[in-house]
Amino acid sequence: ASVGLVVTNVVQADMGQWSCSATNSYGTVTVHFQMNIQAASNAPAFTSQPASQTVGVGARVTLRCQAGGVPSPAIMWEKDSVDIDLTAAGLQWIPSTGTLTILSASLSDAGSYSCTATNAHGSVSAAATVAVEALAVITPALRNQTVVAGNALTLTCRSTPSLGVRTRWLLNGMVVGMASALTIASTALADGGQYWCEATNSAGTARASLFVTVQALPTFTTPPSDVIILAGSSVNVPCRVSGVPPPTVSWVLGSTTVQNTPHVSIGGDNTLAIVNADTTISGAYTCVATNAAGTARSSAKVVIIGRLMFTVFPKDVTAVAGKGATMAC
């Protein structure tokens, strides 16, 4: 006798060892056999595809391409429509995961990459673009700047390439600008210091620095004031100034620079000292303060009054009553 077993809808769980047994009054016989399941044939279909990306020189680039199908499809890679030698130096190809890796990207690795999965039933392709950027170069070189407080200042940082570069400015470690140009409308002393420009792209960050020196015009903290004294007296006329850099101070009488004399001298604190005053040194004294930012002037009048002296002394006279008398002085 012959008995058949029909499995109407074979599934993966049906795979394995099967047995057929025949039994009568004399005993039982059994035979074993294996059922293997073969998937239905189908064309390739992607389970992962390469993605476009932008990287810097020296970066690792990973392109994934996996496809299913029956029979299993073969994967081929092309760059700019030319077959890639997957065994070439600098490349890593892992067939089991469909991963193509560029170990250290160079500018020549930029281009269009496509993978094709092929089996007996067809093929599918997917493409991705790889852009490789070099580290930005800041050019021209940054130069130190000097500005007078209150004036405007613009710092410019240009880089090559310029596309895809993010630029920012830092002062003493703090971000103060997020563009290639940094403008300060009215500078203050606190704006001085070391400025860094950072130009960042996918390849990394380029840095360059400059120093900004902010100068301040001389200003009088104690300006000279007018004085009136008697001849033979002494007086000090102070002149105190501030500024960046510290100003130098001189005194001028009329159009003549004051030099130290027995009657007039200039102290270490820039005070004009008048000793045993003489009327010949009266006049308008100007304190002149000068630094790299400019010059400031402040004046004071020094008036020396001569002491009264008799040039004709009166003499004793005898007058006649009822008559006139003349007395000289």
Side-chain angles (χ1 to χ4, degrees), residues 70-301:
V70 179
S72 295
I75 303 294
M76 297 294 294
W77 281 93
E78 291 183 343
K79 176 180 178 288
D80 298 329
S81 301
V82 177
D83 289 343
I84 297 176
D85 179 4
L86 299 176
T87 64
L91 295 179
Q92 184 182 69
W93 164 238
I94 304 176
S96 61
T97 61
T99 302
L100 174 65
T101 301
I102 303 171
L103 300 177
S104 179
S106 63
L107 294 176
S108 61
D109 290 319
S112 176
Y113 287 76
S114 63
C115 72
T116 301
T118 304
N119 68 7
H121 301 286
S123 65
V124 289
S125 295
T129 298
V130 173
V132 181
E133 293 182 340
L135 185 68
V137 177
I138 295 174
T139 181
L142 303 183
R143 296 180 180 274
N144 296 339
Q145 301 289 320
T146 300
V147 62
V148 176
N151 290 347
L153 172 67
T154 297
L155 304 176
T156 302
C157 179
R158 296 185 175 89
S159 61
T160 302
S162 58
L163 295 178
V165 176
R166 301 179 304 281
T167 304
R168 69 176 187 171
W169 284 94
L170 298 93
L171 170 61
N172 300 327
M174 301 294 291
V175 176
V176 292
M178 294 298 294
S180 59
L182 173 65
T183 298
I184 303 171
S186 179
T187 53
L189 292 177
D191 294 318
Q194 185 176 25
Y195 286 76
W196 283 91
C197 169
E198 293 186 345
T200 302
N201 63 6
S202 58
T205 299
R207 295 177 177 85
S209 69
L210 59 80
F211 282 89
V212 170
T213 300
V214 181
Q215 298 175 338
L217 285 163
T219 56
F220 292 95
T221 56
T222 304
S225 56
D226 296 343
V227 294
I228 300 175
I229 60 172
L230 293 174
S233 301
S234 299
V235 69
N236 289 330
V237 183
C239 177
R240 294 183 177 86
V241 296
S242 64
V244 180
T248 58
V249 175
S250 62
W251 283 89
V252 175
L253 174 60
S255 59
T256 303
T257 300
V258 174
Q259 305 292 335
N260 288 341
T261 69
H263 294 289
V264 180
S265 62
I266 301 171
D269 61 353
N270 303 316
T271 295
L272 181 71
I274 297 175
V275 179
N276 192 20
D278 186 304
T279 57
T280 61
I281 61 174
S282 294
Y285 285 79
T286 300
C287 180
V288 182
T290 301
N291 67 5
T295 298
R297 294 176 173 83
S298 184
S299 298
K301 292 180 181 178

